[in-house]
Amino acid sequence: MKIHYLSEKNSILNHFLGEIRDVNIHKDAMRFRRNIERIGEIMAYELSKELEYKTIEIQTPLGTKKTTQIADAIVLCSILRAGLSMHLGFLNYFDQAENGFISAYRHHPNNDNFFEIKVEYQAIADINNKCLLLIDPMLATGQSIVVVYNRLMERGTPKTIHIAVTIAAPEGIAYLEKHLPGNCHLWIGALDEKLNEHSYIVPGLGDAGDLAYGIKL
């Protein structure tokens, strides 16, 4: 797996990453959503450098000009519900992309720290021979992404696979490296220290879905 750590170099990305963590800022749900969207836009730009392009000729008012455009068809697929704001950021840049949405949540059958990932909804575009971008803000254990990936592979075989996360824990990265094929690209906004006993990222930011859309039952 090729891993891209985007916060290693200073950029405006780190400014927005700081705001989504800050307890004095991130409880403003509208600002949190917008910052996640901005992070999605920045990550989309960086990811675009790894895509395939073709040369085309366009007509201007005064002549013609050769330029390049993305060669592959793109499918954006986000994990509900936390992925929605980040998805919009990617869609702002890949505006011709097809889209997919899939639910994945932690089910605690014994009301303790053990959980399994449940998938109950999916609406997925055709991914065969296309560039699949799988989007989820938080990479904690990695189980959700692997379950969703396996579900998507039942629907077809993409040409290339990119996974974009805002914040990741080392344990989640290791889990993806173990369970996903080596030709995947993993894009990480920021790498954090660890998971706690409840499998939440530390220092993290809290629950991205709750901060964006309100506390769930």
Side-chain angles (χ1 to χ4, degrees):
M1 178 179 292
K2 186 173 182 181
I3 304 177
H4 309 262
Y5 295 100
L6 298 183
S7 64
E8 289 182 341
K9 296 181 179 180
N10 280 324
S11 75
I12 192 66
L13 172 66
N14 291 339
H15 176 85
F16 296 136
L17 286 168
E19 289 199 348
I20 64 172
R21 296 180 188 271
D22 191 330
V23 295
N24 297 309
I25 297 174
H26 75 180
K27 291 180 182 178
D28 180 338
M30 184 170 68
R31 187 168 178 179
F32 182 84
R33 290 193 301 270
R34 180 63 181 119
N35 280 333
I36 291 288
E37 181 182 346
R38 288 164 164 165
I39 290 168
E41 291 173 343
I42 294 167
M43 296 186 76
Y45 169 74
E46 295 294 340
L47 188 153
S48 73
K49 299 174 184 178
E50 293 288 327
L51 301 180
E52 293 187 9
Y53 289 79
K54 61 183 178 182
T55 300
I56 61 169
E57 189 173 88
I58 59 172
Q59 181 69 47
T60 80
L62 300 176
T64 59
K65 176 64 178 177
K66 286 187 178 180
T67 186
T68 59
Q69 69 178 25
I70 296 172
D72 291 330
I74 294 175
V75 177
L76 305 177
C77 182
S78 290
I79 298 178
L80 298 174
R81 62 185 166 144
L84 288 174
S85 297
M86 194 172 170
H87 185 105
L88 183 57
F90 273 83
L91 191 58
N92 288 343
Y93 276 35
F94 301 125
D95 56 304
Q96 299 299 313
E98 297 175 277
N99 296 269
F101 302 93
I102 188 165
S103 71
Y105 67 93
R106 297 181 179 187
H107 173 61
H108 297 264
N110 304 316
N111 293 318
D112 56 18
N113 289 338
F114 171 78
F115 64 87
E116 55 189 6
I117 302 299
K118 292 276 191 176
V119 173
E120 292 186 348
Y121 172 84
Q122 58 183 12
I124 308 299
D126 178 17
I127 63 173
N128 275 303
N129 203 36
K130 297 177 182 177
C131 177
L132 174 63
L133 274 57
L134 180 56
I135 300 165
D136 193 14
M138 309 297 284
L139 172 55
T141 67
Q143 293 180 48
S144 293
I145 287 177
V146 170
V147 168
V148 168
Y149 169 85
N150 290 332
R151 182 65 62 91
L152 290 172
M153 293 307 102
E154 296 174 2
R155 304 288 294 267
T157 304
K159 181 179 179 181
T160 54
I161 301 168
H162 295 265
I163 300 165
V165 301
T166 299
I167 297 174
E171 296 91 332
I173 296 171
Y175 191 82
L176 296 193
E177 289 183 306
K178 181 178 180 180
H179 292 91
L180 297 185
N183 61 350
C184 290
H185 288 255
L186 175 60
W187 298 82
I188 298 172
L191 175 62
D192 275 14
E193 297 173 11
K194 62 181 180 179
L195 297 179
N196 65 15
E197 65 275 15
H198 301 294
S199 296
Y200 285 106
I201 301 173
V202 177
L205 53 76
D207 189 296
D210 287 357
L211 288 167
Y213 302 109
I215 297 174
K216 57 188 174 295
L217 294 176

